[in-house]
Amino acid sequence: MIGFFGGSFDPVHLGHLNNAVQIKQQLDLSALYLMPCKAPVHKNALTFSTQQRLDMLHAAVQDFPDLAIDEREINSDVESYTIHSLKQIKHQYPQQSICLIIGMDSFKQLSSWKDYLEFQQYCHLIVLARPGQEKPADTYHFKLVKHKSELAKQGAGLLYFANTNLHDISSSKIRGILFDTTANGKIRAKQNLAELLPASVINYLR
């Protein structure tokens, strides 16, 4: 099985990275790819440019060698729709079980994603819990399983809620720190960011 963890990564932070490493180990994935989108449909304009977000991801994975980057959405000439990526990935890896990894907040909004009812044809859906968020009742045509061992028994269509350590970190929180007007637009002292961002990303931002 291989995993794809999508997002805007604006910027990538330790919540993304630590959860990704835990999921790769927990599900015994042969590879896990961070898949940054180019133009997120469900969000406002991004703070960092496409190249800056990609640069920060490349800097971050130097410290997280278990992770890799998939640039298909970044390199696309059209808007980022997950269904398009899933079809491409399944065509590229026809013999592999594909795990799409999303956060609980995204899972709750899945019905607003393009052709979301088709996802179960191409992947398993792995949902990461976030602090204070409960599991919704809707499974979006996926079959809910409680044991990770069941994921390897079929190629797609299963829903699994991952048991990872919760990280109360968000990119919006980090942007609020980075661009606090009381700091004259400058990045605050390193110790205020060390628990949020890998050192390589802090150095890039500086």
Side-chain angles (χ1 to χ4, degrees):
M1 295 193 297
I2 57 177
F4 290 82
F5 186 179
S8 55
F9 302 112
D10 187 38
V12 64
H13 54 66
L14 289 175
H16 297 134
L17 298 163
N18 288 331
N19 271 321
V21 170
Q22 287 182 60
I23 283 294
K24 185 175 186 292
Q25 296 172 347
Q26 184 180 138
L27 302 185
D28 195 26
L29 300 175
S30 59
L32 193 150
Y33 295 92
L34 302 174
M35 187 168 65
C37 62
K38 186 172 186 178
V41 178
H42 293 87
K43 293 185 178 181
N44 297 325
L46 299 175
T47 299
F48 295 98
S49 71
T50 298
Q51 190 60 54
Q52 288 171 332
R53 291 184 294 118
L54 190 57
D55 288 345
M56 285 186 280
L57 278 167
H58 279 289
V61 297
Q62 297 302 311
D63 297 325
F64 290 81
D66 284 344
L67 306 178
I69 301 172
D70 186 297
E71 299 184 16
R72 74 182 68 237
E73 293 190 357
I74 284 282
N75 294 329
S76 174
D77 294 329
V78 298
E79 289 182 313
S80 299
Y81 287 109
T82 302
I83 186 62
H84 296 163
S85 297
L86 287 174
K87 290 178 179 179
Q88 292 174 9
I89 290 167
K90 196 61 181 176
H91 180 75
Q92 184 177 354
Y93 303 99
Q95 304 304 319
Q96 288 275 11
S97 295
I98 307 301
C99 294
L100 177 65
I101 301 157
I102 64 174
M104 183 68 77
D105 51 347
S106 295
F107 180 67
K108 288 183 175 181
Q109 299 176 12
L110 197 65
S111 61
S112 67
W113 292 27
K114 180 178 175 65
D115 298 334
Y116 70 97
L117 292 178
E118 296 182 22
F119 286 16
Q120 49 86 26
Q121 300 176 36
Y122 302 101
C123 68
H124 298 315
L125 192 61
I126 312 301
V127 181
L128 304 175
R130 294 195 67 174
Q133 294 187 336
E134 297 182 357
K135 301 174 184 177
D138 198 342
T139 63
Y140 307 107
H141 288 197
F142 284 87
K143 178 185 176 182
L144 178 64
V145 295
K146 295 184 178 180
H147 301 288
K148 62 183 181 182
S149 60
E150 297 182 59
L151 297 171
K153 296 179 181 179
Q154 67 183 68
L158 302 180
L159 169 64
Y160 178 72
F161 289 98
N163 182 25
T164 59
N165 294 331
L166 298 179
H167 298 277
D168 191 12
I169 303 174
S170 69
S171 294
S172 59
K173 175 181 178 180
I174 292 169
R175 291 193 299 272
I177 294 173
L178 293 177
F179 301 109
D180 183 8
T181 55
T182 62
N184 297 318
K186 297 180 180 180
I187 297 176
R188 292 181 177 180
K190 184 174 181 178
Q191 61 264 29
N192 292 325
L193 295 169
E195 294 183 356
L196 304 174
L197 300 167
S200 56
V201 173
I202 294 173
N203 292 334
Y204 176 86
L205 289 166
R206 287 182 181 279

